[in-house]
């Protein structure tokens, strides 16, 4: 078992270096999502970090109509429609480095879309990204009023974007927003299908944007669990 876990971690690290994400089909089926995450990395304890947020360590994601949840959630703005490309918790001072999406109830027609920041940097330039300043929609504990599209944390680049929770504050930020939202990235987007119970998608939140395809009626029972990680084990 120890050898298998070492091989799994090596595969994930190689995937992350190459693609910014790693897909592991039917991983540790029968184990709880928190147990799976604990094998892969260090969990972010959101109730301890931000007790007033009410966000649990393991978050359950199910399709919802717009009128079923608040506007502070993606479903409250986009409902069953497609979610645009974004970084998770981009309005935080430092967004979580990684997150896991694990299939509980799958769907065969709802893809998770992933776009590496590399082609965006190539098109816009790192200098413009570093100058692009956004303001968070709301300022709360743990969040930062002003954030940059490209910043640095512990010597590593942190790239972020969110069309819903970030508002451009200067011309470079408007350029970044326009480039991401108006450009056709289809040729660069990779699509992952969380179809079977236990399917796991681990995403580097600092290197990749992600979105969700629209949810048709037949996939209304889709259920995904999400956990944030501060690191992935070697």
């Amino acid at each position: 078992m120890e050898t298998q876990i070492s091989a799994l971690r090596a595969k994930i690290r190689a995937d992350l270096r190459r693609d910014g994400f790693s897909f592991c089909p039917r991983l540790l089926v029968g184990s709880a999502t928190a147990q799976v995450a604990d094998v892969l990395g260090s969990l972010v304890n959101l109730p301890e970090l931000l007790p007033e947020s009410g966000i649990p360590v393991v978050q359950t994601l199910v399709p919802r109509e717009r009128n079923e949840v608040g506007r502070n959630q993606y479903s409250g703005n986009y409902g069953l429609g497609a979610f645009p490309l974004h970084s998770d918790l981009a309005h935080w001072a430092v967004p979580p480095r990684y997150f896991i999406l694990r299939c509980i109830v799958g769907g065969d027609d709802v893809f998770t879309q992933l776009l590496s920041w590399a082609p965006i940097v190539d098109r816009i330039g790192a200098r413009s990204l570093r100058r692009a300043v956004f303001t968070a929609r709301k300022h709360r504990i743990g969040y930062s009023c002003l954030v940059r599209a490209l910043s640095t944390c512990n010597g590593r680049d942190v790239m972020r974007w969110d069309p819903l929770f970030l508002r451009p504050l200067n011309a470079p930020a408007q350029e970044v927003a326009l480039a991401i939202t108006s450009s056709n990235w289809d040729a660069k987007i990779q699509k992952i299908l969380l179809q079977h119970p236990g399917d796991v998608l681990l995403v580097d939140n600092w290197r990749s944007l992600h979105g969700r395809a629209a949810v048709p009626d037949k996939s209304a029972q889709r259920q995904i669990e999400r956990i944030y990680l501060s690191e992935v084990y070697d």
Side-chain angles (χ1 to χ4, degrees), residues 5-6 18 90 94-96 104 131 133 150 155-158 171 178 215 217 219 225 231 234:
I5 290 176
S6 295
R18 184 183 65 248
V94 181
I104 305 302
R131 294 173 57 215
V133 179
L150 173 56
R156 295 188 177 276
D157 287 342
V158 181
L178 183 62
V215 180
D217 290 342
S219 295
E225 289 186 341
E231 64 173 326
D234 291 326

Side-chain angles (χ1 to χ4, degrees), residues 85 117 120 124 128-129 132-134 149 160-164 166-183 185 209:
L85 294 167
W117 271 96
I120 301 174
I124 301 173
S128 292
L129 287 166
V133 179
F134 297 84
R160 73 181 83 204
W161 160 251
D162 190 309
L164 185 59
L166 295 182
R167 182 168 60 86
L169 203 59
N170 61 1
Q174 291 173 348
E175 177 189 354
V176 170
L178 183 62
I180 294 177
T181 57
S182 65
S183 300
W185 301 104
L209 298 173

